[in-house]
Amino acid sequence: MHGNPMPDSYVYVTEEGVTRHYADGSVEALAWEDVVEVRVVAETDSEVLYILLDRDGEGCVVPRSATDSTFLARLRYLPDFDLDRLQLAAEAARDGAVVVWRSPDPPSTLPDLEYD
């Protein structure tokens, strides 16, 4: 049988939140109302990841390649979210994570995350 191979993961964006389904059956999901931080990470030279975190440092990893206008439009609902800053961070991401947005009422600390 020919056709496109099964993707490693796919992302659903709704008015309620973001969900990423992995090929192994695992799922990451985060409600928009729980997002307190957005980070950008360069996984490789070609793949950029958007990391959405909640107050406990749990969240959802969204590959830029899996985003569309719905995802970007929904980010704009976060208080004072700057799409230009997101774009600049994605273009400049090299080493480590770049925080592009924090909630006006963030938790005192969020953990530093390791990315494989």
Side-chain angles (χ1 to χ4, degrees):
M1 182 180 260
H2 297 283
N4 293 333
M6 182 73 159
D8 291 337
S9 67
Y10 53 95
V11 176
Y12 287 115
V13 177
T14 66
E15 289 296 314
E16 289 77 34
V18 177
T19 305
R20 182 176 180 188
H21 295 265
Y22 290 86
D24 67 3
S26 61
V27 176
E28 293 175 342
L30 187 60
W32 290 114
E33 66 188 27
D34 295 333
V35 176
V36 298
E37 187 169 288
V38 177
R39 299 178 183 181
V40 175
V41 175
E43 186 174 59
T44 65
D45 287 339
S46 62
E47 185 62 275
V48 172
L49 304 175
Y50 301 130
I51 316 295
L52 308 177
L53 297 171
D54 68 10
R55 292 186 176 279
D56 298 323
E58 299 293 321
C60 189
V61 178
V62 179
R64 181 169 61 177
S65 61
T67 64
D68 60 13
S69 60
T70 304
F71 177 76
L72 296 175
R74 189 56 191 87
L75 284 175
R76 295 177 77 183
Y77 285 101
L78 297 172
D80 298 321
F81 192 87
D82 185 344
L83 283 176
D84 291 333
R85 183 172 178 177
L86 179 75
Q87 181 64 31
L88 290 172
E91 291 171 1
R94 295 286 179 262
D95 298 320
V98 176
V99 175
V100 295
W101 179 83
R102 279 200 176 115
S103 169
D105 184 30
S108 56
T109 61
L110 283 173
D112 289 329
L113 303 177
E114 299 279 329
Y115 302 100
D116 297 327

